[in-house]
Amino acid sequence: MAYSIDLSGRVAFITGASGGLGAQFALTLSRAGAAVILASRRIDKLKDLRATIEGEGGDAHAIELDVTDPDSIKSAVAHAETEVGSIDILVNNSGVSTTQRLTEVEPEDYDFIFDTNVKGAFFVAQEVGKRMMARATGSAPGSYTGGRIINIASAAGLRVLPQIGVYCMSKAAVIQMTKAMALEWGKFGVNVNAICPGYIDTEINHHHWQTDGGQKLVNMLPRKRVGQPQDLDALLVMLCSDQSHFINGAVIAADDGFGI
Ligand SMILES: NC(=O)c1ccc[n+]([C@@H]2O[C@H](COP(=O)([O-])OP(=O)(O)OC[C@H]3O[C@@H](n4cnc5c(N)ncnc54)[C@H](OP(=O)(O)O)[C@@H]3O)[C@@H](O)[C@H]2O)c1
């Protein structure tokens, strides 16, 4: 019999689903059977994706979320659970970057990156994690094994890269955050893991690959290629599944060997 993963009956909340990796994560989890909640600021983009997913026969919901606003996080998560049901899977994906030398970083640039990538990701995970743990305490002891939080860190959280130093610092924080959450929340049946993608062609960097600097960078990569968003599908689905119940606090590179 073929090995397969089925997420039917699961509810997945994906931040930053309006484009790039987040949109692909939502499509993939829907195709694996999950009901998906698409959350970010650009509601029109979320509605377009919702239509695409519904066109494929999936169950999708669009909810406005600004991860830099604690009230927005609380209301988006509450709204999601009322409209769709308890969240089983969080893909904590919203993220931003700037390109600057460290000497050029202004306090606003620093806050822009840390408010979204670290503080935003932390409070989204905290809000969803608290709800997952409340479900665990309502279940028979040891019987709740269903919470899955996947933090989207970066290869840049493991290896420092030029011109994006503050982004690298923020993603290193996401990696430690993942381990801290896994340590505290694992015993409640909530598994927290991080994916560290390498260079993937999305809105955040698409223009760069056409430039001389971008081409130079591609030529320095081990296999001289950037990835596509769907290159993370298998890893994501595995981490979201019941079958990953023994994986907690893992930091997994999906970078085509960039970090070796
Ligand atoms: N692409 C890569 O090569 C790569 C590599 C490693 C890691 N990553 C990480 O993967 C994640 C997705 O990146 P991407 O390449 O898909 O970038 P992207 O295309 O620019 O997408 C970023 C997403 O984050 C959302 N976002 C930004 N600020 C937000 C806020 N305040 N509140 C809610 N959502 C917010 C955006 O949605 P709205 O604008 O609609 O709010 C957007 O959907 C990021 O965490 C990034 O650091 C990417």
Side-chain angles (χ1 to χ4, degrees):
M1 200 179 79
Y3 191 86
S4 71
I5 287 176
D6 183 5
L7 300 178
S8 299
R10 293 305 186 97
V11 174
F13 188 95
I14 301 111
T15 71
S18 54
L21 298 184
Q24 177 65 25
F25 293 151
L27 272 168
T28 302
L29 295 184
S30 172
R31 288 171 183 160
V36 292
I37 298 149
L38 318 170
S40 81
R41 296 166 303 180
R42 288 174 297 167
I43 194 78
D44 289 349
K45 292 244 179 202
L46 300 178
K47 286 180 180 167
D48 290 347
L49 180 60
R50 180 181 68 190
T52 304
I53 291 174
E54 286 175 347
E56 293 184 354
D59 179 6
H61 306 258
I63 292 183
E64 203 167 334
L65 166 70
D66 181 347
V67 301
T68 64
D69 175 356
D71 291 337
S72 171
I73 293 173
K74 280 191 194 318
S75 76
V77 172
H79 179 172
E81 292 214 332
T82 307
E83 188 173 315
V84 192
S86 300
I87 296 168
D88 303 293
I89 297 162
L90 166 65
V91 185
N92 208 3
N93 164 77
S94 289
V96 294
S97 185
T98 61
T99 305
Q100 298 159 301
R101 292 181 204 289
L102 292 176
T103 48
E104 291 160 2
V105 173
E106 299 289 344
E108 306 79 60
D109 303 316
Y110 187 98
D111 288 346
F112 172 62
I113 294 177
F114 267 74
D115 283 353
T116 304
N117 296 7
V118 185
K119 189 176 172 191
F122 176 83
F123 283 104
V124 171
Q126 187 203 55
E127 185 61 26
V128 175
K130 280 201 274 194
R131 288 162 181 266
M132 287 175 172
M133 285 183 277
R135 288 167 70 194
T137 47
S139 312
S143 67
Y144 181 81
T145 56
R148 296 284 182 273
I149 296 177
I150 294 94
N151 294 322
I152 306 304
S154 173
L158 297 166
R159 176 178 167 179
V160 175
L161 302 168
Q163 306 260 31
I164 55 168
V166 178
Y167 175 79
C168 296
M169 291 157 57
S170 76
K171 292 299 187 177
V174 171
I175 288 169
Q176 287 298 70
M177 176 182 97
T178 299
K179 294 179 186 178
M181 289 174 176
L183 188 65
E184 286 196 15
W185 301 352
K187 57 179 168 292
F188 299 103
V190 178
N191 290 25
V192 188
N193 294 295
I195 297 178
C196 295
Y199 290 106
I200 311 282
D201 185 9
T202 65
E203 215 175 288
I204 212 172
N205 55 29
H206 184 67
H207 61 280
H208 185 59
W209 308 122
Q210 327 309 329
T211 65
D212 283 352
Q215 284 299 312
K216 241 188 235 163
L217 179 57
V218 172
N219 282 323
M220 279 165 20
L221 297 175
R223 290 200 270 214
K224 303 190 190 316
R225 62 180 188 179
V226 294
Q228 296 304 312
Q230 58 270 28
D231 291 332
L232 306 175
D233 287 357
L235 175 57
L236 177 81
V237 172
M238 183 276 286
L239 289 176
C240 291
S241 71
D242 278 347
Q243 287 95 323
S244 68
H245 66 96
F246 206 64
I247 304 174
N248 190 30
V251 176
I252 305 176
D255 64 0
D256 209 30
F258 171 72
I260 296 169

